[in-house]
Amino acid sequence: MKFQGFCRKIYLCAMTEKDFIPKSYPAQVEQGEVTWQSPSNIALVKYWGKLENQIPANPSISFTLDSCRTTTTLKFKKKQQRADNFHFDLSFEGEKKESFRPKIQKFLERIDPYLPFLRDYDLSIETSNSFPHSSGIASSASGMSALALCLMSLEKQLNPEMNEEYFTRKSSFLARLGSGSACRSIEGDLVVWGMHNNIYRSSDLYGVPFRDEVHDNFKNYRDTILLVDKGEKQVSSTVGHDLMNDHPYAEQRFRQAHDNLDKLKKIFRSGDLDEFIKVVESEALTLHAMMMTSQPYFILMKPNTLAIINKVFKFREETGLHLCFTLDAGANVHLLFPEKEEEKTLQFIENELKQYCQNGQYITDRVGSGAKKLA
Ligand code: PMV
């Protein structure tokens, strides 16, 4: 017991759900506004499959991105009387966005026990993305993490004693309740989410920065996102995660994710780019293999996704460079490569891969350092 008390005080141990339920707020806040900019992230070991309350079925690790961001401003004003319902206005890129309301309503309901002040305020949420509208890039990670951070800034005003570590962990914890992978968007540059025996302080409840040694080869890693298909996905991530419940290969897949994290841990230390490629590409293909072997089965890759993958294999064989691909739950392709190979790789993308993108569109991004509060 003594040891537990010690752990809680300086947050050496993993925090529990109870740690995120505030007891009381010492300060009063009438009104104000706050703005956060939060990035997207790209998973190297993928999260696919979840238990109740957004608990991941396996641990995952991602690179935090830099320029693919959501900017969210939260304005808040105390109501004369606390109401039973949440009250919020919502706009996206300057226009009211009714279609986002159910998702935000559900998010507020989920986080209500952890932010008991929510019903005391009229909230106005204004949000915009740095990446092109309807690009097929999921904005749930950057969007939910930006909103979670704004709400935490209000909580910090109500409880000015709150320390930075608690602020960051709870932001990630809340973001997870909005969209699982959003909990990996608060910090940079590599974030782990999900319990793993060999990753220090890893938790199913929130993301933590990967604190082991990382070779210079992986510093400033590049991610160019090829926009292959900008339409709405036919199958949502929520449905995909649920299909892992009765999936014939689920158990092996979850074990494989643990093993791949162990492998990546070694690779990050050694800087072995060939081994990195093997793990990352296998993870991407396994994710899509899970989709193709669930019941009902579905395919999110498009012919151009495969054309790009084959071109990447050929480019690697011909040049010996370390370009590799990964995929989200969609047809777009993320191309990962080291900073020092940027020039030749970008030339190849422009000359040979652009033609497979819708309207020739792609986004050049890189690994970033996490969310930022704007003045
Ligand atoms: O956060 P969600 O529920 O949208 O799931 C994201 C799942 C993948 O992007 C496919 C993988 C991952 O770990 O980000």
Side-chain angles (χ1 to χ4, degrees):
M1 274 318 273
K2 225 174 167 186
F3 181 63
Q4 202 182 19
F6 171 76
C7 280
R8 274 174 191 231
K9 208 162 170 196
I10 59 172
Y11 301 114
L12 266 178
C13 296
M15 295 165 88
T16 68
E17 269 153 358
K18 277 198 191 129
D19 293 318
F20 297 120
I21 300 176
K23 293 192 179 62
S24 61
Y25 292 122
Q28 298 270 350
V29 177
E30 284 309 315
Q31 60 181 324
E33 76 173 75
V34 60
T35 301
W36 276 89
Q37 227 181 38
S38 194
S40 187
N41 67 74
I42 180 69
L44 305 172
V45 171
K46 308 286 180 182
Y47 146 63
W48 198 242
K50 61 178 162 186
L51 316 175
E52 250 190 275
N53 295 327
Q54 303 274 97
I55 297 298
N58 65 261
S60 55
I61 186 167
S62 51
F63 273 140
T64 305
L65 297 185
D66 187 45
S67 52
C68 285
R69 286 174 172 267
T70 296
T71 304
T72 297
T73 297
L74 175 73
K75 295 181 179 156
F76 44 88
K77 187 164 191 254
K78 195 148 185 196
K79 293 173 184 163
Q80 298 220 312
Q81 233 180 355
R82 183 178 167 87
D84 286 342
N85 298 336
F86 304 108
H87 183 265
F88 63 97
D89 286 331
L90 197 62
S91 70
F92 177 66
E93 296 182 351
E95 284 180 22
K96 286 238 177 295
K97 196 77 182 173
E98 287 303 310
S99 59
F100 286 2
R101 283 192 79 84
K103 205 166 180 188
I104 302 296
Q105 173 73 27
K106 197 165 166 198
F107 177 53
L108 296 177
E109 283 165 16
R110 276 193 189 150
I111 63 174
D112 187 35
Y114 309 102
L115 297 179
F117 61 80
L118 287 175
R119 292 165 205 263
D120 295 333
Y121 288 88
D122 288 323
L123 305 173
S124 154
I125 304 161
E126 293 163 16
T127 182
S128 61
N129 290 338
S130 66
F131 40 90
H133 185 48
S134 311
S135 57
I137 298 188
S139 57
S140 56
S142 53
M144 284 299 175
S145 54
L147 181 55
L149 284 157
C150 287
L151 292 168
M152 280 307 293
S153 284
L154 171 52
E155 183 169 64
K156 176 136 174 76
Q157 289 186 30
L158 292 163
N159 177 16
E161 304 271 278
M162 185 189 296
N163 70 31
E164 213 176 301
E165 167 84 8
Y166 182 88
F167 181 95
T168 308
R169 288 297 146 261
K170 187 164 172 181
S171 300
S172 175
F173 171 85
L174 297 177
R176 183 195 104 241
L177 294 172
S179 170
S181 58
C183 77
R184 299 187 311 238
S185 274
I186 308 288
E187 293 170 281
D189 45 357
L190 278 162
V191 177
V192 176
W193 167 42
M195 263 299 289
H196 185 281
N197 282 341
N198 301 322
I199 306 238
Y200 182 57
R201 292 172 77 189
S202 55
S203 166
D204 284 342
L205 299 180
Y206 46 77
V208 293
F210 178 77
R211 293 203 193 274
D212 280 43
E213 201 183 321
V214 177
H215 194 279
D216 278 352
N217 280 351
F218 297 106
K219 298 278 155 70
N220 296 318
Y221 225 70
R222 301 312 204 224
D223 180 7
T224 293
I225 309 161
L226 305 184
L227 306 179
V228 171
D229 184 51
K230 303 200 280 172
E232 282 250 324
K233 281 186 275 185
Q234 306 100 311
V235 181
S236 71
S237 293
T238 311
V239 172
H241 286 294
D242 285 350
L243 288 174
M244 286 305 282
N245 288 334
D246 298 313
H247 198 290
Y249 307 135
E251 229 173 278
Q252 266 137 310
R253 158 61 198 150
F254 300 146
R255 208 173 319 133
Q256 180 198 39
H258 282 263
D259 293 346
N260 278 343
L261 252 164
D262 274 324
K263 283 186 190 162
L264 273 187
K265 223 179 120 162
K266 280 198 198 116
I267 291 166
F268 284 134
R269 195 172 309 140
S270 67
D272 191 331
L273 292 171
D274 294 325
E275 289 302 309
F276 177 77
I277 292 170
K278 282 187 206 159
V279 173
V280 169
E281 292 190 342
S282 161
E283 274 289 323
L285 294 178
T286 303
L287 169 71
H288 284 256
M290 291 298 112
M291 299 171 189
M292 290 190 246
T293 48
S294 58
Q295 202 55 262
Y297 41 82
F298 58 105
I299 302 177
L300 296 183
M301 288 193 266
K302 298 279 178 197
N304 280 354
T305 313
L306 287 178
I308 291 165
I309 290 174
N310 281 312
K311 282 269 186 180
V312 168
F313 290 158
K314 195 158 168 265
F315 175 74
R316 235 177 17 231
E317 212 175 284
E318 285 171 2
T319 62
L321 295 177
H322 298 93
L323 171 64
C324 78
F325 70 85
T326 186
L327 307 164
D328 262 341
N332 295 333
V333 183
H334 287 249
L335 293 176
L336 302 175
F337 50 97
E339 182 183 20
K340 61 177 178 227
E341 296 180 9
E342 181 170 43
E343 204 184 319
K344 281 192 183 134
T345 308
L346 282 181
Q347 229 165 48
F348 164 68
I349 292 170
E350 178 64 25
N351 295 342
E352 295 199 41
L353 298 184
K354 189 180 169 168
Q355 56 181 304
Y356 298 107
C357 303
Q358 251 188 8
N359 307 325
Q361 260 186 310
Y362 62 88
I363 299 170
T364 48
D365 206 343
R366 65 182 66 189
V367 172
S369 56
K372 290 182 183 71
K373 190 176 176 189
L374 301 188

